[in-house]
């Protein structure tokens, strides 16, 4: 009964700090992530709906990092407060050992881990995929067509293949009118045209992809390079110049596109890794078969069942196109079979290396998603013993300890990812090493939770500093003695 009441109490006191930490940490990481990509959004003339979609799709990646951090911050803060207010002492006096308090916390940690596993498998890959497609679509979108007065405006059309240069003495963006217009067209090297007009009107088509310039009272000067002295002058009262593909509308792709490793669910990662492993095995088998065929052919030893490759090589050998081994010529320098095997082996080796790197990246991502999810459980184990060992640290202890643990954990995770990507170590080892180390430290500290820490807050960082400096004081005292 007492444990049931205590469990409800622990859940209630952890909920507030967890939500606050999740909001604060997510906000900080989110602002940093958006700031890194804001340059790609400026000047695109994007509608507000697209901007909000970009912000919404950027949020899941942030939550994937901030949620395990928030678990640790909440546990450190709550146990620090409980120790300072003598609640841990009261619980111990009631016959409940501090180590038993960890059981409800581990249950909450399992819930957080299960939530993270579902999030990393179903939500995060889809949001990353949609975000990548959105960023690609935004990158393909041309900057807003803003024509400025009395400067040379470059206008790209037809996906950037054609370029026009336009100047106007005056541009009215409200009425879409221009005055004293000059348009230079050098897209056709044989016909270079310069168009002059006194005034004109701009208009987009209904789809807002093509711009039409209606020009009035002008002349076209055309230089014809295909004949000597070629020049033509054409006067016009009205002329329409179509500029296709300059629209400012964002073209969205509905799904599609190749998925990277961070855009795959657990099943996709396993299936893609298995496909690449099958390709590696096939490439190695082909290398081995070609080498054995070349050896049998060079020794002129027929096999019971020749492959298609060997049959073709034997036919060439019978026609004298291939000289068998022992003919007096250098096998390595003149035998085309040997040279073909060497070239094929090298190309297959390069392909196998590329495939193996892809397999490593897929395995790294798979283990990383699992490891980050289980970090929630590890942090719920290591948080309470740390808070109890520094009972008077307060908020400073929470910030300092959580920052130190986060730094060490992420350095280990990122370093392990680099090692695994370069095939220097197994992904299973490198991605789980940080979790294993913190788990062992947490178990060691939890085993020593025999008694509660101090009960008065008072000193802030003084209590933590005193504990850290105690070994040095004992060493000096022993030396003086």
């Amino acid at each position: 009964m007492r444990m049931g009441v205590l469990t409800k109490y622990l859940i209630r006191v952890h909920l507030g700090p967890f939500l606050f930490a999740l909001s604060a940490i997510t906000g900080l990481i989110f602002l940093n992530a958006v700031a890194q990509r804001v340059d790609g959004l400026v000047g695109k003339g994007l509608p507000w709906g697209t901007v909000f979609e970009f912000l919404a799709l950027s949020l899941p990646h942030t939550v994937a990092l901030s949620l395990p951090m928030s678990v640790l911050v909440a546990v450190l803060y709550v146990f620090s407060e409980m120790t300072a207010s003598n609640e841990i002492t009261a619980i111990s006096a009631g016959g409940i050992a501090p180590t038993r308090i960890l059981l409800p916390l581990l249950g909450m940690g399992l819930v957080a881990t299960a939530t993270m596993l579902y999030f990393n498998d179903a939500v995060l890959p889809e949001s990353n995929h949609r975000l990548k497609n959105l960023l690609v679509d935004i990158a393909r979108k041309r900057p807003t067509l803003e024509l400025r007065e009395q400067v040379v405006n470059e206008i790209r059309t037809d996906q950037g293949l054609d370029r026009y240069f336009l100047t106007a003495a005056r541009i009215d963006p409200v009425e879409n009118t221009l005055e004293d217009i000059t348009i230079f067209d050098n897209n056709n090297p044989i016909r270079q045209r310069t168009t002059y007009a006194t005034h004109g009107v701009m208009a987009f088509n209904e789809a807002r992809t093509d711009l039409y310039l209606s020009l009035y009272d002008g002349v076209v000067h055309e230089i014809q390079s295909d004949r000597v002295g070629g020049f033509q002058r054409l006067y016009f009262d009205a002329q329409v110049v179509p500029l296709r593909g300059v629209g400012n509308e964002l073209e969205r792709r509905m799904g599609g596109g190749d998925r990277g490793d961070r855009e795959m669910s657990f099943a996709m990662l396993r299936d893609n890794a298995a496909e690449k492993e099958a390709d590696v095995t096939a490439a190695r088998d082909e290398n081995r078969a070609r080498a054995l065929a070349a050896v049998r052919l060079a020794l002129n030893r027929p096999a019971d069942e020749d492959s298609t490759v060997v049959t073709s090589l034997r036919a060439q050998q019978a026609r004298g196109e291939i000289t068998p081994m022992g003919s007096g010529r250098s096998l390595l320098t003149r035998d085309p079979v040997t040279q073909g095997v060497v070239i094929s082996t090298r190309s297959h080796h390069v392909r196998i290396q590329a495939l193996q790197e892809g397999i490593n990246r897929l395995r790294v991502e798979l283990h990383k998603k699992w490891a980050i999810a289980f970090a929630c459980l590890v942090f719920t184990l290591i948080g309470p013993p740390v808070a109890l060992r520094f009972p008077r640290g307060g908020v400073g202890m929470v910030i300092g300890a959580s920052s130190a643990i986060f730094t060490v954990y992420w350095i280990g995770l990122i370093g392990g990812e680099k090692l695994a990507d370069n095939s220097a170590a197994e992904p299973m080892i490198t991605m789980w090493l940080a979790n294993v180390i913190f788990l062992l430290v947490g178990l060691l500290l939890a085993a020593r939770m025999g008694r509660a820490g101090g009960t008065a807050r008072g000193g802030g960082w003084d209590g933590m500093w005193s504990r850290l400096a105690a070994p040095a004081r004992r060493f000096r005292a022993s030396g003086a003695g």
Side-chain angles (χ1 to χ4, degrees), residues 234-256:
L234 300 174
Y235 293 92
F236 62 87
D237 294 328
Q239 180 181 216
V240 177
V241 178
L243 302 175
R244 305 186 186 281
V246 300
N248 194 35
E249 293 297 313
L250 178 65
E251 297 181 3
R252 297 298 306 275
R253 297 174 299 170
M254 301 306 294

Side-chain angles (χ1 to χ4, degrees), residues 374-389:
F374 274 90
C376 298
L377 184 61
V378 174
F379 288 161
T380 57
L381 177 64
I382 198 173
V386 172
L388 292 179
R389 289 183 67 84

Side-chain angles (χ1 to χ4, degrees), residues 161-230:
L161 298 178
D162 295 335
R163 294 192 305 170
Y164 295 85
F165 298 91
L166 181 147
T167 61
R170 184 176 180 276
I171 299 176
D172 187 345
V174 178
E175 299 293 336
N176 291 327
T177 59
L178 306 91
E179 297 180 3
D180 295 334
I181 308 163
T182 302
I183 301 176
F184 179 68
D185 176 7
N186 191 32
N187 295 299
N188 187 349
I190 300 178
R191 298 287 190 269
Q192 297 182 6
R193 294 181 177 180
T194 304
T195 303
Y196 303 92
T198 58
H199 61 283
V201 179
M202 298 183 297
F204 276 101
N205 63 344
E206 185 177 355
R208 297 191 62 81
T209 57
D210 303 335
L211 175 66
Y212 295 91
L213 295 176
S214 299
L215 308 179
Y216 303 96
D217 299 331
V219 60
V220 177
H221 293 172
E222 183 179 88
I223 300 176
Q224 302 170 351
S225 60
D226 57 342
R227 61 189 181 90
V228 179

